[in-house]
């Protein structure tokens, strides 16, 4: 049974041209994107599809899965990350038109400062860098950091590349547009101005990746263009209304003061050690109050790993800390594939056949599908303790999927992770009796019934040493933390805090964000006695 769209969603689904959508957390943006694709696909010829780009592989896989559930035949549509699109649909197919030769390509993640490619590390982009990128292509090197620049160069210099994209695709849809950088925006606009219908979806208040030079200004600029119709998905269907109103009030956008308040500022005498003890004491009453059965429906979200470890080591309740591994930092095609495959293996809701179906179509590529299924079944049969035995099968599956993109760094990272139980466990979900502990950045895109929000202190969130942009990102990060909570959010404030640099404890002053106008009326301030 197909879900009926809301009034806001219906207006978007009826719009035919270019669209920019600002979507609040929990407002049904993925449903809207899926439904939009499902309504576009039937009118396309068999050789055509849409480009659907997500910020992460996990989000892309989820979008692809939901689209296939909604319309079994997605025709020639592309689902993937922006880098994957550049590499697979533009760079590899058309590089030979620039270089004059056909070669196998290597994805280069790191550039040696002593190599001839070192000028690429300079801050500004120039014609000199363009010539170096072309030289790299001639030698079979695709620089991961500059896939956007490389793709744009090809689109501007190889007429057949744009003709191919226009013949193959009707729409380009980009989710999380607030995290797009300048080059991603340029490529998107170029494709739209060349004839594709553009759909950009984002939330200005979730822009938290300024350190990667991604800013919401490109989403804001799209909203001002006359050739884009602007829509908003404002109703948060995931969070309790009081959490939604509180988060909107951070930006002066709340319209009501809810009668029932489920955002709490919790004052505790002491530091992270005392906060951990308080969570132990009050956890079960909170779970009972909101009908929560499992501890893994609860998360403790921190600004930094040091806070996460400090809280964890002082908890009596079982917990799981999710750390970053070498594979998490590997953005090569093979690295991302290894990361997603390992996560799928330890996700109890994913089976070998599910994963194989994500890789190849049984109808269109039966031989590859059967081979992939056999490999997936072998990989998925290995337990956590035996998973290092699956290394060769994992490599073989990656070679079947990405024959031209093997990197030694990715292979080394795979070996490092699957041979080290400490790293490998970060891909295993928390058990039912375990609390989730992670950074606020790592929580983006996730949801929990109950959230304990740490580190709302002056100099931490926000960091007053930062510039205006940095403070804005910290506000957005706080917004992300709040809106991970579906039922209740507890902002934990001690009288002291741990200082990692000096390994000591100092006086903790509450964050200035907690005193923004209107917030006090939209939360409950309580004190937990120990």
């Amino acid at each position: 049974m197909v879900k009926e769209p809301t009034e806001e969603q219906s207006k978007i689904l009826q719009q035919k041209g270019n669209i920019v959508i600002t979507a609040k957390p929990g407002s049904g943006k993925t449903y809207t994107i899926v439904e939009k694709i499902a309504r576009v696909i039937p009118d396309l010829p068999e050789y055509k599809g849409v480009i659907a780009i997500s910020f992460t592989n996990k989000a892309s896989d989820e979008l692809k899965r939901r689209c296939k559930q909604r319309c079994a035949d997605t025709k020639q549509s592309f689902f993937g990350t922006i880098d994957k699109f550049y590499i697979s649909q533009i760079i590899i197919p058309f590089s030979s038109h620039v270089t004059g030769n056909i070669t196998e390509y290597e994805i280069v993640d790191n550039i040696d400062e002593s190599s001839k490619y070192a000028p690429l590390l300079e801050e500004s982009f120039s014609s000199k860098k363009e010539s170096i990128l072309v030289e790299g292509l001639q030698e079979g090197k695709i620089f991961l950091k500059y896939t956007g620049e490389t793709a744009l160069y090809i689109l501007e210099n190889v007429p057949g590349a744009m003709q191919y994209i226009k013949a193959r695709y009707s729409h380009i849809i980009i989710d999380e547009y607030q995290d797009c950088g300048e080059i991603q925006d340029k490529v998107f606009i170029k494709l739209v101005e060349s004839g594709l219908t553009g759909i950009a979806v984002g939330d200005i208040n979730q822009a938290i990746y300024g350190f990667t030079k991604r800013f919401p200004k490109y989403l804001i600029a799209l909203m001002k263009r006359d050739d884009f119709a602007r829509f908003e998905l404002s109703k948060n269907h995931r969070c309790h209304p009081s959490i939604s109103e509180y988060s909107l009030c951070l930006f002066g956008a709340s319209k009501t003061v809810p009668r029932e308040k489920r955002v709490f500022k919790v004052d505790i005498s002491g530091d992270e050690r005392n906060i951990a003890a308080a969570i132990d004491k009050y956890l079960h009453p909170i779970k009972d109050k909101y009908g929560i059965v499992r501890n893994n429906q609860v998360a403790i979200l921190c600004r930094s790993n040091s806070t996460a470890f400090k809280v964890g080591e002082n908890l009596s309740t079982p917990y799981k800390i999710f750390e970053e591994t070498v594979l998490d930092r590997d953005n090569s095609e093979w690295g991302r594939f290894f990361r997603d495959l390992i996560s799928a293996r330890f996700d109890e809701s994913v089976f070998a056949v599910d994963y194989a179906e994500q890789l190849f179509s049984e109808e269109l590529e039966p031989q590859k599908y059967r081979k992939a299924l056999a490999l997936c079944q072998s990989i998925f049969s290995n337990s956590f303790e035996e998973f290092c035995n699956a290394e060769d099968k994992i490599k073989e599956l990656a070679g079947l999927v990405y024959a031209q993109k093997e990197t030694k760094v990715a292979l080394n990272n795979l070996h490092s992770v699957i041979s080290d139980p400490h790293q490998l466990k970060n891909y295993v979900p928390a058990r039912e009796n375990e609390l989730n502990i992670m950074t606020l950045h790592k929580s983006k895109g996730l949801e929990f019934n109950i959230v304990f929000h740490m580190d709302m202190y002056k100099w931490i969130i926000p960091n007053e040493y930062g510039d205006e942009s940095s403070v804005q990102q910290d506000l957005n990060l706080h917004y992300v933390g709040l809106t991970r909570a579906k039922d209740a959010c507890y902002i934990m404030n001690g009288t002291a805090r741990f200082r990692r640099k000096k390994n000591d404890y100092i006086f903790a002053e509450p964050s200035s964000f907690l005193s923004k106008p209107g917030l006090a009326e939209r939360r409950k301030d309580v004190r937990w006695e120990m």
Side-chain angles (χ1 to χ4, degrees):
M1 181 176 173
V2 179
K3 172 186 169 184
E4 288 298 317
T6 64
E7 183 178 347
E8 286 181 332
Q9 292 165 343
S10 292
K11 291 178 180 178
I12 295 169
L13 297 175
Q14 292 165 10
Q15 180 69 28
K16 297 296 184 183
N18 299 324
I19 302 171
V20 57
I21 304 166
T22 52
K24 300 299 181 187
S27 61
K29 68 167 184 175
T30 304
Y31 161 82
T32 307
I33 294 172
V34 169
E35 193 63 23
K36 187 71 175 176
I37 292 172
R39 298 189 182 197
V40 167
I41 291 289
D43 295 331
L44 299 179
E46 290 301 318
Y47 60 84
K48 211 160 188 173
V50 302
I51 302 164
I53 291 171
S54 302
F55 193 62
T56 66
N57 284 320
K58 183 177 180 180
S60 176
D61 290 342
E62 174 66 9
L63 181 61
K64 182 178 181 179
R65 182 186 66 80
R66 289 178 61 171
C67 282
K68 284 189 172 293
Q69 286 180 339
R70 178 65 179 87
C71 48
D73 183 9
T74 53
K75 298 183 178 176
Q76 297 302 310
S77 295
F78 171 90
F79 295 90
T81 62
I82 192 78
D83 288 328
K84 184 176 180 180
F85 171 71
Y86 294 152
I87 293 168
S88 67
Q89 302 300 302
I90 300 173
I91 299 175
I92 288 180
F94 295 98
S95 286
S96 61
H97 296 256
V98 173
T99 64
N101 63 288
I102 299 175
T103 184
E104 290 192 358
Y105 291 97
E106 170 194 5
I107 308 299
V108 179
D109 192 10
N110 297 305
I111 300 172
D112 190 335
E113 293 183 1
S114 62
S115 73
K116 63 181 179 181
Y117 301 114
L120 290 175
L121 299 173
E122 295 172 5
E123 191 68 24
S124 59
F125 198 79
S126 63
S127 57
K128 180 181 178 181
K129 283 190 176 183
E130 278 189 350
S131 64
I132 293 175
L133 291 178
V134 173
E135 184 179 353
L137 290 176
Q138 290 172 336
E139 297 181 5
K141 298 182 185 298
I142 298 173
F143 298 98
L144 186 63
K145 186 178 179 181
Y146 297 103
T147 54
E149 287 84 353
T150 307
L152 184 60
Y153 179 86
I154 291 173
L155 288 173
E156 290 177 341
N157 291 277
V158 181
M162 185 62 77
Q163 292 168 9
Y164 166 78
I165 295 296
K166 290 168 62 177
R168 178 77 179 269
Y169 302 109
S170 65
H171 291 63
I172 177 166
I173 304 164
I174 300 185
D175 192 10
E176 305 287 6
Y177 205 91
Q178 78 277 357
D179 291 327
C180 280
E182 180 182 7
I183 193 65
Q184 290 91 352
D185 181 67
K186 281 185 176 180
V187 174
F188 176 75
I189 294 299
K190 186 168 188 65
L191 293 175
V192 169
E193 292 180 345
S194 297
L196 272 69
T197 299
I199 300 176
V201 186
D203 182 350
I204 295 168
N205 300 329
Q206 287 201 73
I208 61 175
Y209 291 105
F211 58 87
T212 63
K213 300 192 182 302
R214 296 186 177 99
F215 301 99
K217 65 181 181 182
Y218 302 108
L219 176 62
I220 294 170
L222 274 186
M223 293 161 61
K224 297 177 180 178
R225 286 180 65 112
D226 293 336
D227 54 345
F228 275 78
R230 179 182 170 183
F231 295 92
E232 183 179 18
L233 293 173
S234 61
K235 180 69 174 176
N236 188 325
H237 302 285
R238 179 179 65 205
C239 300
H240 185 269
S242 65
I243 299 174
S244 178
E245 287 300 325
Y246 189 92
S247 64
L248 291 174
C249 189
L250 288 174
F251 305 97
S254 174
K255 298 176 181 178
T256 61
V257 177
R259 183 172 299 176
E260 181 186 7
K261 302 177 180 66
R262 293 199 186 178
V263 175
F264 303 87
K265 183 171 80 70
V266 182
D267 292 320
I268 294 173
S269 295
D271 51 55
E272 288 84 356
R273 296 168 293 187
N274 306 92
I275 291 175
I279 291 174
D280 281 327
K281 177 179 178 180
Y282 287 88
L283 178 63
H284 288 292
I286 288 172
K287 286 169 58 183
D288 289 342
K289 179 178 180 179
Y290 298 108
I292 308 304
V293 177
R294 305 187 306 275
N295 282 352
N296 64 1
Q297 295 172 285
V298 180
I300 301 173
L301 305 183
C302 310
R303 180 65 176 87
S304 65
N305 284 322
S306 63
T307 301
F309 283 109
K310 185 59 64 176
V311 172
E313 66 190 24
N314 288 284
L315 277 174
S316 297
T317 305
Y319 65 90
K320 180 178 177 61
I321 292 181
F322 291 87
E323 300 177 69
E324 189 179 65
T325 74
V326 291
L327 269 180
D328 291 326
R329 297 187 290 271
D330 188 340
N331 285 315
S332 68
E333 285 285 355
W334 279 53
R336 291 196 293 260
F337 178 76
F338 293 150
R339 183 169 62 241
D340 290 346
L341 175 58
I342 297 170
S343 296
R345 161 59 190 92
F346 297 111
D347 185 338
E348 293 182 355
S349 67
V350 179
F351 298 93
V353 64
D354 300 323
Y355 200 78
E357 287 176 349
Q358 290 180 19
L359 303 176
F360 298 105
S361 166
E362 186 175 8
E363 292 181 353
L364 300 177
E365 300 174 284
Q367 290 184 329
K368 285 188 175 182
Y369 169 78
R370 287 193 292 270
K371 180 65 174 176
L373 178 58
L375 289 169
C376 286
Q377 288 172 332
S378 176
I379 294 165
F380 278 53
S381 68
N382 287 274
S383 65
F384 179 89
E385 293 75 17
E386 302 170 335
F387 199 68
C388 59
N389 297 330
E391 184 169 358
D392 288 341
K393 297 292 185 183
I394 294 173
K395 293 177 184 177
E396 187 177 352
L397 182 60
L400 185 67
V401 178
Y402 300 117
Q404 295 181 321
K405 302 181 180 68
E406 175 180 342
T407 64
K408 290 182 179 179
V409 172
L411 294 177
N412 290 337
N413 289 341
L414 169 67
H415 180 77
S416 174
V417 166
I418 67 174
S419 60
D420 178 4
H422 182 78
Q423 290 194 73
L424 186 60
K425 71 178 183 180
N426 288 285
Y427 297 90
V428 180
R431 297 187 182 95
E432 289 190 0
N433 69 326
E434 292 178 328
L435 300 175
N436 298 274
I437 305 180
M438 65 186 70
T439 64
L440 288 157
H441 278 100
K442 203 168 183 67
S443 75
K444 190 170 184 286
L446 303 178
E447 59 183 50
F448 306 93
N449 292 87
I450 306 296
V451 163
F452 293 100
H453 190 327
M454 303 289 294
D455 289 325
M456 287 303 295
Y457 301 126
K458 187 175 183 179
W459 312 116
I460 307 298
I461 302 178
N463 178 3
E464 278 81 355
Y465 291 118
D467 57 17
E468 183 178 347
S469 174
S470 173
V471 172
Q472 181 62 45
Q473 286 179 60
D474 282 342
L475 183 61
N476 295 345
L477 193 61
H478 177 38
Y479 173 84
V480 167
L482 288 164
T483 54
R484 298 314 93 198
K486 295 194 291 185
D487 295 320
C489 181
Y490 294 82
I491 301 170
M492 310 302 289
N493 265 138
T495 53
R497 63 176 176 84
F498 178 65
R499 182 167 56 173
R500 182 180 60 84
K501 288 183 178 179
K502 296 193 175 182
N503 195 32
D504 62 358
Y505 291 88
I506 60 173
F507 172 73
E509 186 175 344
S511 167
S512 59
F513 290 162
L514 296 174
S515 57
K516 290 180 76 68
L519 292 182
E521 298 94 308
R522 289 167 173 80
R523 70 172 182 245
K524 284 186 178 181
D525 290 359
V526 298
R527 172 170 289 278
W528 285 0
E529 301 294 343
M530 298 301 296

